[in-house]
Amino acid sequence: MTDVLNGSCACGQIQFTCRATPKGAAVCHCSQCRKMSGHAWASAHVPRTSFEMTGPVKWLRLSEQAERGICPDCGSFLFWVGVGHPDFISFALGSVDGPTGVALGRNIFVSEKADYYPLNDGLIQER
Ligand SMILES: [Zn+2]
Ligand SMILES: [Zn+2]
């Protein structure tokens, strides 16, 4: 099976192509993802070798754990790479153009969730 997903930032300067089946689809409720995206942030990961990106990605180090890739012009929060885990990249499911073929599996960093929305989707909740 050949899975090719294409995605982009809101202004279109950053484009990406993913040639592997995305894994670990999750919604992150941590405060950094919430502030970066304006809400919880949904992503999935693939091997870095199956992922290509073009455009002026700006990498932010907001925590010890990760670097986040954004578009410096439109501000889209697109990518997440764990420090010490450069072999994988997570990308925002909301930035995919067209169907993702992905189903969310987990809510993560639930302990940092904001109070204005319920979490009753039946998915696994972590921390
Ligand atoms: Zn952009
Ligand atoms: Zn997060």
Side-chain angles (χ1 to χ4, degrees):
M1 151 179 202
T2 304
D3 293 291
V4 177
L5 292 181
N6 294 300
S8 57
C9 66
C11 76
Q13 286 189 86
I14 295 172
Q15 305 277 331
F16 65 86
T17 300
C18 167
R19 299 179 194 284
T21 302
K23 299 273 174 56
V27 181
C28 186
H29 302 267
C30 85
S31 63
Q32 285 158 345
C33 286
R34 289 194 288 108
K35 288 182 182 292
M36 289 294 295
S37 71
H39 188 49
W41 190 69
S43 69
H45 62 79
V46 290
R48 187 66 185 82
T49 51
S50 66
F51 197 87
E52 294 165 29
M53 64 180 83
T54 59
V57 178
K58 180 177 180 179
W59 291 95
L60 303 175
R61 183 84 176 259
L62 299 175
S63 72
E64 293 298 307
Q65 289 77 33
E67 293 195 349
R68 288 171 167 84
I70 68 166
C71 174
D73 281 342
C74 70
S76 297
F77 169 24
L78 298 167
F79 310 123
W80 186 100
V81 176
V83 171
H85 302 280
D87 294 345
F88 290 91
I89 184 167
S90 294
F91 60 94
L93 290 169
S95 64
V96 172
D97 298 317
T100 65
V102 170
L104 291 172
R106 299 177 299 147
N107 290 289
I108 61 175
F109 287 90
V110 168
S111 62
E112 296 184 29
K113 176 184 143 344
D115 64 357
Y116 64 89
Y117 56 96
L119 206 51
N120 52 13
D121 53 21
L123 302 179
I124 295 165
Q125 297 188 14
E126 295 181 5
R127 275 196 288 180

